[in-house]
Amino acid sequence: MGKTALITGITGQDGAYLAEFLIKKGYTVHGIKRRSSLLNTDRIDHLYQDPHVKERNLVLHYGDLTDSMNVTRIIQECRPDEIYNLGAMSHVKVSFDVPEYTANTDGIGTLRILESVRLLGIADHTRIYQASTSELYGLVREIPQTENTPFCPRSPYACAKLYAYWITVNYREAYGLHASNGILFNHESPVRGETFVSRKITRALARILLGLQDVLFMGNLSSRRDWGHAKDYIKAMYLILQQDKPDDYVIATGVSTDVRDFIRRSFAFVGIEISFSGEKEKETGSIKAINDQLFIDKVGNNHLENLKIRIRNNPVIVKVDPGYYRPTEVDYLLGDSSKAKEKLGWIPDYDLDGLISDMVTSDLLLMKRENYIRDGGFSTFNYFE
Ligand code: NAP
Ligand code: GDD
């Protein structure tokens, strides 16, 4: 018999990659999805199985981390060997708009899982992974950040996750639960939510090159992040729960880059050189040069001439909109995952350029599809935050 896992947040970026990974390992995966007025299972539709099929390896339950009885009942029904608590209101800027909801889901939601496992008497059977975050370091006390760096949260999201971190440690110490925190630094992918900065950039890049959008409006271009690929990070989650003893681990690449450089590298991947000038709200990014051959290889021949005409008129493609600034910012994240390397044997496959290549390639395909739809006479829409 294979193991059984329960994933909260299975419809999210990490949940989808983790579900696929565990199913390949022979797990039966249960996932909690929220009821919504539109279908919200795009990221896991390729794993979906008709509920009438016997012995499915993916089972979805309606639920919500804010509903204690629902959480307890689902855990009781599927008696998982492993729980991956990935469900969260995960957008830092949005957490300033919905602080109470964020605390309830991201903070108390974690307590609901821990307490359910304790009350159901399955603590000896069930291991718990808590999705902790580098946002805990906030106004960083040291660079790079390790498992021993003090926390200093800077948003309602980070404050909620701080509670979740410590209640996980507390249940481990007080009741002997096999409960661990993965302190994951930013990780992205082609299925990253569209309003996180990496995906916002790669989607806008594709739209600008194909003539679907003029300008990319950004917030703080100077903040630095340690960006990895979600495919590598979900493997760390799995490894953390395979250890005999529960513990807390930093998962990061060890390379930090600012948002400006993420933009530069993304455009460089398709042969376009971007240069930035001006300061603060007046800063802009403009196309300086195009490597025709690289552009044709990555994007295709069709759009090169149109892009050249466009930049002769106006080369500015990045502007700053202070509306995207946060009331309190996290300026500099850089992780040291030596402990994970040593104890888990975790080493990422992707570097930053590998991540960017994966994301830009995927978004170019997506936007080409939008172009076909438009050429076919149908309307397409952009998403704005
Ligand atoms: P994501 O794409 O935003 O996915 C979040 C998931 O949580 C979605 O499935 C969402 O459902 C679900 N969810 C939201 N509110 C919920 C609620 N009240 N009850 C149940 N489920 C709820 O996030 P992600 O990037 O995959 O991140 C996974 C986890 O790791 C999150 O806890 C995040 O805070 C944490 N984390 C992420 C990173 C990162 O860089 N990605 C780094 C460190 C930690 P819907 O699909 O219905 O919205
Ligand atoms: N989203 C967004 N949109 N961020 C922008 C923009 C913009 O237009 N312009 C600049 N930024 C800056 C933000 O101010 C932030 O400093 C940085 O880009 C990264 O923003 P996000 O991609 O939204 O991610 P995050 O670092 O705030 O949070 C993500 O990583 C955390 C781990 O450190 C989320 O995935 C969290 O759930 C996760 O815990």
Side-chain angles (χ1 to χ4, degrees):
M1 284 287 283
K3 286 188 186 171
T4 299
L6 172 64
I7 304 178
T8 73
I10 195 167
T11 56
Q13 170 189 256
D14 292 3
Y17 281 120
L18 180 65
E20 184 168 2
F21 176 81
L22 293 177
I23 287 171
K24 282 194 187 137
K25 287 211 168 286
Y27 280 61
T28 300
V29 172
H30 293 256
I32 297 184
K33 67 167 177 174
R34 297 193 290 174
R35 193 271 158 181
S36 87
S37 63
L38 287 171
L39 294 177
N40 60 356
T41 52
D42 279 17
R43 292 189 179 104
I44 49 170
D45 282 346
H46 62 296
L47 304 172
Y48 179 78
Q49 290 158 327
D50 188 323
H52 305 99
V53 172
K54 277 193 186 147
E55 302 190 9
R56 282 177 296 155
N57 51 21
L58 177 69
V59 183
L60 297 181
H61 306 256
Y62 279 111
D64 199 297
L65 282 163
T66 60
D67 182 334
S68 312
M69 285 183 277
N70 164 265
V71 168
T72 308
R73 180 181 55 75
I74 293 171
I75 295 176
Q76 186 178 33
E77 272 175 23
C78 57
R79 275 183 65 87
D81 297 285
E82 297 169 8
I83 298 177
Y84 296 87
N85 183 30
L86 311 184
M89 203 309 288
S90 72
H91 201 285
V92 173
K93 174 107 188 334
V94 175
S95 78
F96 288 95
D97 298 328
V98 287
E100 182 185 342
Y101 175 73
T102 305
N104 194 1
T105 305
D106 301 14
I108 307 296
T110 305
L111 173 66
R112 292 184 180 106
I113 290 191
L114 294 161
E115 185 65 356
S116 297
V117 168
R118 187 178 82 84
L119 291 177
L120 291 168
I122 55 173
D124 289 343
H125 170 78
T126 302
R127 299 180 173 192
I128 300 167
Y129 171 87
Q130 168 56 22
S132 284
T133 165
S134 49
E135 279 291 304
L136 296 173
Y137 298 117
L139 195 61
V140 297
R141 297 297 195 239
E142 61 181 356
I143 298 169
Q145 295 92 43
T146 72
E147 291 79 4
N148 300 319
T149 304
F151 297 139
C152 184
R154 296 270 280 169
S155 63
Y157 166 79
C159 293
K161 286 282 187 178
L162 184 76
Y163 174 80
Y165 174 93
W166 283 118
I167 199 70
T168 300
V169 172
N170 182 245
Y171 269 60
R172 176 165 86 214
E173 293 174 351
Y175 305 117
L177 263 65
H178 193 298
S180 302
N181 285 290
I183 308 171
L184 271 53
F185 283 61
N186 297 50
H187 46 280
E188 322 293 311
S189 74
V191 297
R192 180 63 144 154
E194 290 87 352
T195 60
F196 294 98
V197 76
S198 62
R199 189 79 198 287
K200 183 171 166 179
I201 292 167
T202 58
R203 277 176 57 90
L205 173 153
R207 294 182 66 83
I208 289 168
L209 301 190
L210 302 189
L212 293 164
Q213 181 175 331
D214 287 333
V215 177
L216 166 62
F217 283 99
M218 300 296 301
N220 178 8
L221 293 167
S222 300
S223 67
R224 301 182 70 88
R225 290 291 181 274
D226 179 329
W227 277 293
H229 198 304
K231 277 187 185 168
D232 283 327
Y233 285 49
I234 56 99
K235 290 182 193 159
M237 298 176 188
Y238 166 77
L239 289 171
I240 288 171
L241 287 201
Q242 308 318 305
Q243 304 308 302
D244 289 340
K245 290 203 173 128
D247 204 347
D248 309 316
Y249 297 89
V250 162
I251 304 296
T253 67
V255 176
S256 185
T257 314
D258 68 16
V259 171
R260 204 177 281 108
D261 200 41
F262 194 104
I263 297 173
R264 264 197 219 104
R265 284 169 186 254
S266 301
F267 279 88
F269 174 73
V270 293
I272 294 177
E273 187 192 332
I274 302 283
S275 82
F276 286 88
S277 60
E279 282 183 19
K280 299 190 175 151
E281 286 92 80
K282 300 269 187 275
E283 183 166 356
T284 56
S286 306
I287 297 184
K288 275 286 160 248
I290 303 180
N291 174 333
D292 288 6
Q293 195 51 54
L294 193 51
F295 185 95
I296 290 166
D297 289 349
K298 301 290 184 194
V299 187
N301 212 351
N302 293 354
H303 303 279
L304 185 56
E305 281 319 308
N306 280 345
L307 183 68
K308 285 188 171 173
I309 293 168
R310 187 237 129 122
I311 62 173
R312 267 199 297 277
N313 294 331
N314 180 6
V316 174
I317 51 143
V318 181
K319 288 184 179 172
V320 172
D321 174 355
Y324 294 117
Y325 289 167
R326 293 162 185 198
T328 39
E329 178 63 283
V330 172
D331 295 316
Y332 196 150
L333 293 177
L334 172 65
D336 175 353
S337 56
S338 305
K339 178 175 168 185
K341 284 193 180 119
E342 188 196 320
K343 300 212 165 157
L344 308 175
W346 179 78
I347 295 172
D349 288 330
Y350 286 84
D351 63 10
L352 182 57
D353 287 328
L355 168 70
I356 286 174
S357 149
D358 203 18
M359 293 181 72
V360 172
T361 305
S362 169
D363 276 331
L364 278 168
L365 270 177
L366 191 68
M367 295 310 162
K368 279 181 184 168
R369 197 176 66 178
E370 296 238 337
N371 248 354
Y372 290 132
I373 294 171
R374 247 176 40 153
D375 291 349
F378 298 94
S379 303
T380 62
F381 304 99
N382 197 2
Y383 301 92
F384 293 99
E385 281 173 87

